[in-house]
Amino acid sequence: MIEVEHLVKDYGEFRAIDDISFHVEKGEILGFLGPNGAGKTTVMRILTCFFPPTRGRVRVAGYDCFEDSIEVRRRVGYLPERVPLYDDMRVADYLRFVAAIKGTPAREVAAKTAKVIADCGLQEVAGRPISAISRGYRQRVGIAQALVNDPEVLILDEPTVGLDPRQIKEIRKLIKDLAGRHTVILSTHILPEVSILCGRVVIIDKGRLVAAGRPDSLAAGAARRIFLRIEGDAQRIEQELRRAPGVGGVEREPSAGGAAGWVVVLDDEPRGREGLRAAIDRNRWSLVEMRPLDASLEDIFIQLVTTEPT
């Protein structure tokens, strides 16, 4: 449904996007992640034909974003971080206006407007001025304007930013219900949101692709962590753990008493596990607890975007 091949975008001498390639399958929700300034907004603007790439190829629903931009725009709904709403218009009037300027046939405008009002839960506020509705409803109106022409692709930039917990839950449910009927790219800084909603993630940093795949497969490739609780001299234990082959880091966990706890990061998992076992046997430690710690999406994200290039 979406194909991005060797995408490059330069602003003068500054390279905002540096040779990025990824794809999104039909009906999929893809999490699009990166720190501030990573290039996410630039990629989304290219996908929505706001401006062309410097090099590379981008296709949406089989159409080239540069050569067939009108066809791409007919098939894409976009929710920018700052929702473009006209406060002096009523909700239903605004959605009818958007449907018309997106090329919806006049005979279908009323039906499509009614449908997105129902799908986005806007019935209670449809007759109100946009200036008189809450932020949560404004976000719903923003999603509705992206959906009103029934696009094949939705690109959502920070759809839950600034909302309260109840509103966030409602918007997440709405996005999840879109899967299958629409292909969705979701850009957000709320990483648990990605774990809840997205089947795959793409992570970029400094304009470059640093990871792509399912959250669980990225976790499998991240540095492994082991939690140990060992009785004995804490200083000596830390020294011995750091010396073990395959161990990349050791951090002591706060303890209210009893055996000290340690989080051990393994650079080389098989070698690290063997090194830990050898250290425990060699020092005849009293091992109280030993268990693996799963890497969260936050752990993976921080690890990927804070690693300096070599």
Side-chain angles (χ1 to χ4, degrees):
M1 177 57 67
I2 299 174
E3 301 170 17
V4 177
E5 299 175 358
H6 303 292
L7 182 64
V8 173
K9 181 63 179 179
D10 295 330
Y11 296 102
E13 296 183 356
F14 174 68
R15 178 152 292 180
I17 302 298
D18 189 1
D19 196 26
I20 286 179
S21 298
F22 65 90
H23 70 281
V24 190
E25 299 292 343
K26 185 175 182 179
E28 182 179 22
I29 300 181
L30 178 82
F32 193 49
L33 309 179
N36 290 332
K40 303 187 302 298
T41 298
T42 298
V43 173
M44 288 186 285
R45 287 179 174 176
I46 292 172
L47 286 170
T48 53
C49 306
F50 186 82
F51 48 54
T54 303
R55 290 202 306 275
R57 187 180 187 187
V58 180
R59 294 174 65 84
V60 174
Y63 293 94
D64 187 279
C65 284
F66 180 68
E67 296 177 355
D68 300 300
S69 64
I70 297 300
E71 292 299 328
V72 171
R73 293 179 196 196
R74 287 173 177 159
R75 290 161 174 80
V76 173
Y78 181 36
L79 174 70
E81 186 174 356
R82 295 181 180 178
V83 184
L85 303 178
Y86 296 129
D87 285 351
D88 58 336
M89 296 184 73
R90 298 181 187 276
V91 170
D93 292 340
Y94 170 76
L95 293 174
R96 282 192 288 268
F97 166 72
V98 173
I101 64 173
K102 286 189 173 185
T104 303
R107 64 182 180 277
E108 298 178 12
V109 167
K112 288 197 172 183
T113 301
K115 184 176 188 305
V116 295
I117 286 173
D119 289 347
C120 296
L122 293 168
Q123 297 94 325
E124 291 184 10
V125 299
R128 294 186 199 172
I130 291 173
S131 60
I133 62 177
S134 69
R135 177 147 191 175
Y137 274 123
R138 290 175 72 92
Q139 286 295 93
R140 286 175 178 266
V141 174
I143 295 174
Q145 65 81 27
L147 278 169
V148 72
N149 60 325
D150 195 24
E152 297 174 60
V153 175
L154 279 172
I155 299 176
L156 308 177
D157 190 1
E158 300 288 351
T160 60
V161 66
L163 303 184
D164 65 38
R166 180 183 61 82
Q167 293 167 336
I168 289 173
K169 186 175 180 180
E170 291 172 352
I171 295 296
R172 285 177 180 170
K173 182 181 184 303
L174 174 59
I175 294 170
K176 198 166 188 177
D177 289 344
L178 297 174
R181 293 182 292 150
H182 303 272
T183 301
V184 181
I185 292 182
L186 171 65
S187 176
T188 179
H189 285 102
I190 306 173
L191 298 186
E193 195 162 77
V194 176
S195 299
I196 293 168
L197 296 174
C198 302
R200 285 194 310 119
V201 298
V202 166
I203 302 176
I204 66 172
D205 184 33
K206 299 173 184 174
R208 296 183 177 181
L209 180 72
V210 295
R214 296 181 58 84
D216 53 359
S217 67
L218 294 180
R224 295 294 186 176
R225 300 186 303 161
I226 304 290
F227 178 78
L228 301 173
R229 193 174 296 281
I230 302 170
E231 292 183 345
D233 182 273
Q235 185 174 357
R236 175 61 185 276
I237 292 170
E238 181 173 352
Q239 291 173 348
E240 291 295 315
L241 289 174
R242 290 187 183 279
R243 291 189 187 122
V247 171
V250 177
E251 182 179 348
R252 184 172 179 179
E253 290 286 290
S255 176
W262 310 91
V263 174
V264 179
V265 179
L266 306 182
D267 284 343
D268 182 327
E269 186 180 3
R271 187 163 170 257
R273 288 181 181 274
E274 184 58 38
L276 289 177
R277 282 193 289 267
I280 293 167
D281 292 342
R282 182 175 63 254
N283 292 281
R284 297 183 178 179
W285 287 331
S286 178
L287 181 63
V288 178
E289 183 180 2
M290 181 176 183
R291 56 184 168 85
L293 295 175
D294 293 333
S296 67
L297 189 57
E298 289 93 336
D299 296 329
I300 298 163
F301 179 84
I302 291 169
Q303 179 182 334
L304 290 169
V305 303
T306 57
T307 301
E308 292 296 326
T310 56

